Amino acid sequence: MLPVVGGDLEVPLVGGGRARHANLDYAASAPSLVTVAEQVAQLLPYSASVHRGAGFGSQVCTAVYEGARAEVGRFLGARRDDAVVFTRNTTDAVNLLAHCVGHTAGRSARVVVLDLEHHANLLPWSAVRRRVVAARPTPEETLDALATELRAEPTALLAVTGASNVTGERLPLARLAALAHASGARLFVDAAQLAPHRRIDLAGLDVDYLALSGHKLYAPFGAGALVGRRDWLDAAPPYLAGGGAVREVTVTSVAWADAPARHEAGTPNLPGAVALAAACRALGALPADALVEHDEALRHRLVKGLAGLPDVRVLSRWPAATGISSTGTAATGTSDTDTGVGAPVGVVTFTFAGDRAAGAATDLAAAYLAAEHGISLRAGRFCAHPLLDQLGAPAGALRASVGVGSSAADVDRLIEALDLFLTSGPRWRYALGPGGWAPTPDDRLRPDWAASVPASPGLAASPCGT
């Protein structure tokens, strides 16, 4: 659909041989778009200070940095007076907003969240007064529970995920915004998983704040953004104190700049901001329905293929609403400007049932898929421990996720490889180490430029993940 860096990469397999890398781990970190890499390469010869130089390079860098800010705002449908603050990632952006809530609405200010959130939209709110609401058996009941909680006590903010990083499921953002505003609260959306799969219109949805990560939106690591209403951002003290965040400084006083500069102290991550903007530009240039059609087709193919395998259970918080069934039928979704529950995005998590559910079978399957087939999935709890507990997978699960560089052939390879794993088992030996399962011996050679790095295959695994 769109060319990505490494789209034709071949990786070594245990026992010799190579295979084209089938990357089905987009939800963790997506590869950069080719156009993004080209944009960064064009920028680097002009490297100079942003906002701090009279030279030509500095003028170019300042212009493209502020241009990147405007591009991100356009892509997200930001209002004219919204602030776009560049951050390191979604986690950084949520912590920044929590900092602002605590200083503007007071540390006693209340933030309401659901118990199915990614840790990035759960843990930062401990800095204020957090109320966690348990998700109900249906989306409609969950919305009712949120409405009841919002009416029960004054609330500053309702913080929700745009799309689950575990199940891909979505709640209707326009309705959530209306619920929040009816109770005098604002709405924050963690769009780390939503933005790569669906168009977002902040103004049209009436969402107050949104955060996203560049590394999930086809840009390199290290850049993200918090976008939204500037009054809280202007009222709070700087997230970081330092140069660039000020208007005037004496040894006894300081006059802080307004947002976004107020929260961007120090030399900014210019390549990261430019890369994020380039990704937004490329995705925004796609035909309106192309992204959704590509995403839903691959998700449908994946769920249907998994349904045909023995002892595989696809995880869903609301299976009746999102179309997860034994036949793999996918839901017919609504757009994000509608009030109904939209079809899940291309993130599918599953576990093994029966005898295969014992032990660390999902971790072993992930190691097997990579080592013997060149297929990348995530195994773990995906920084969403409470949700995995609710879904009956407290020890973890497997997650396959697709994106603009994914193809039907990638999905078919995964289904075929999993079928072999479930019916015949791995052909290689694997050992369980401190970081998880790994092939033993592991005879896959690293690329020459990485050969000097000590091999620690177990360190790639994590009980949390992202």
Side-chain angles (χ1 to χ4, degrees):
M1 185 183 185
L2 283 177
V4 298
V5 176
D8 56 356
L9 177 69
E10 288 194 345
V11 294
L13 307 178
V14 290
R18 302 179 71 83
R20 187 185 63 80
H21 181 217
N23 183 0
L24 293 172
D25 194 18
Y26 276 62
S29 289
S32 294
L33 295 174
V34 169
T35 54
V36 167
E38 291 172 347
Q39 183 72 65
V40 172
Q42 290 175 347
L43 167 71
L44 292 179
Y46 295 90
S47 290
S49 293
V50 175
H51 298 145
R52 295 173 178 84
F56 185 72
S58 181
Q59 292 177 355
V60 169
C61 289
T62 298
V64 296
Y65 185 70
E66 293 304 328
R69 197 189 307 281
E71 186 72 54
V72 173
R74 280 193 295 271
F75 175 70
L76 296 172
R79 294 161 288 261
R80 292 176 65 96
D81 58 346
D82 280 344
V84 177
V85 182
F86 286 119
T87 62
R88 293 181 297 169
N89 44 43
T90 301
T91 301
D92 193 34
V94 181
N95 276 274
L96 167 57
L97 185 57
H99 163 86
C100 292
V101 171
H103 282 88
T104 57
R107 294 189 65 82
S108 62
R110 201 171 76 126
V111 176
V112 172
V113 298
L114 286 169
D115 62 352
L116 45 68
E117 299 294 334
H118 184 283
H119 296 170
N121 194 31
L122 188 65
L123 301 179
W125 306 117
S126 297
V128 289
R129 191 159 60 94
R130 183 187 68 183
R131 173 72 172 106
V132 180
V133 175
R136 301 304 199 260
T138 68
E140 199 63 38
E141 290 174 289
T142 300
L143 291 172
D144 288 344
L146 286 173
T148 299
E149 186 60 42
L150 289 168
R151 289 193 298 265
E153 190 178 339
T155 301
L157 190 71
L158 171 61
V160 300
T161 185
S164 171
N165 75 309
V166 176
T167 66
E169 292 166 307
R170 303 182 289 144
L171 286 171
L173 298 184
R175 287 185 64 186
L176 287 166
L179 287 178
H181 297 157
S183 298
R186 293 185 177 186
L187 177 67
F188 164 74
V189 176
D190 171 356
Q193 295 297 337
L194 180 62
H197 298 275
R198 297 290 188 275
R199 294 281 177 85
I200 300 171
D201 183 357
L202 271 174
L205 293 166
D206 206 15
V207 169
D208 299 287
Y209 297 98
L210 177 146
L212 53 75
S213 292
H215 74 98
K216 297 183 190 295
L217 197 69
Y218 310 105
F221 293 92
L226 174 66
V227 184
R229 303 191 187 278
R230 66 172 55 247
D231 56 343
W232 284 2
L233 297 168
D234 283 342
Y239 185 45
L240 294 174
V246 302
R247 287 199 184 98
E248 186 69 31
V249 176
T250 72
V251 294
T252 58
S253 65
V254 57
W256 300 109
D258 292 333
R262 190 182 192 91
H263 302 291
E264 291 182 356
T267 299
N269 178 5
L270 173 62
V274 169
L276 177 57
C280 290
R281 189 179 308 113
L283 292 175
L286 291 172
D289 297 329
L291 191 62
V292 175
E293 291 173 358
H294 176 77
D295 189 68
E296 290 189 350
L298 291 181
R299 181 188 167 90
H300 175 84
R301 192 181 193 95
L302 177 55
V303 174
K304 186 175 182 179
L306 291 172
L309 298 178
D311 296 329
V312 170
R313 180 172 70 97
V314 175
L315 303 183
S316 173
R317 190 62 183 77
W318 300 300
T322 51
I324 299 298
S325 69
S326 60
T327 62
T329 303
T332 300
T334 58
S335 74
D336 286 307
T337 54
D338 291 330
T339 57
V341 176
V345 302
V347 178
V348 178
T349 298
F350 58 96
T351 59
F352 303 131
D355 293 340
R356 294 184 180 89
T362 53
D363 290 343
L364 176 58
Y368 151 85
L369 289 167
E372 299 187 31
H373 296 276
I375 301 171
S376 293
L377 264 66
R378 278 287 293 115
R381 294 192 284 169
F382 320 116
C383 283
H385 297 181
L387 179 54
L388 266 292
D389 290 345
Q390 294 176 39
L391 297 173
L398 277 167
R399 182 181 68 190
S401 49
V402 298
V404 297
S406 305
S407 67
D410 295 333
V411 173
D412 293 345
R413 276 179 60 190
L414 170 64
I415 300 303
E416 292 169 6
L418 279 172
D419 192 20
L420 285 173
F421 176 78
L422 293 169
T423 56
S424 305
R427 64 176 178 83
W428 203 257
R429 290 183 58 195
Y430 295 81
L432 183 59
W437 289 94
T440 178
D442 189 347
D443 60 355
R444 295 172 294 173
L445 296 178
R446 294 187 178 200
D448 292 342
W449 55 266
S452 61
V453 180
S456 302
L459 296 181
S462 166
C464 182
T466 110

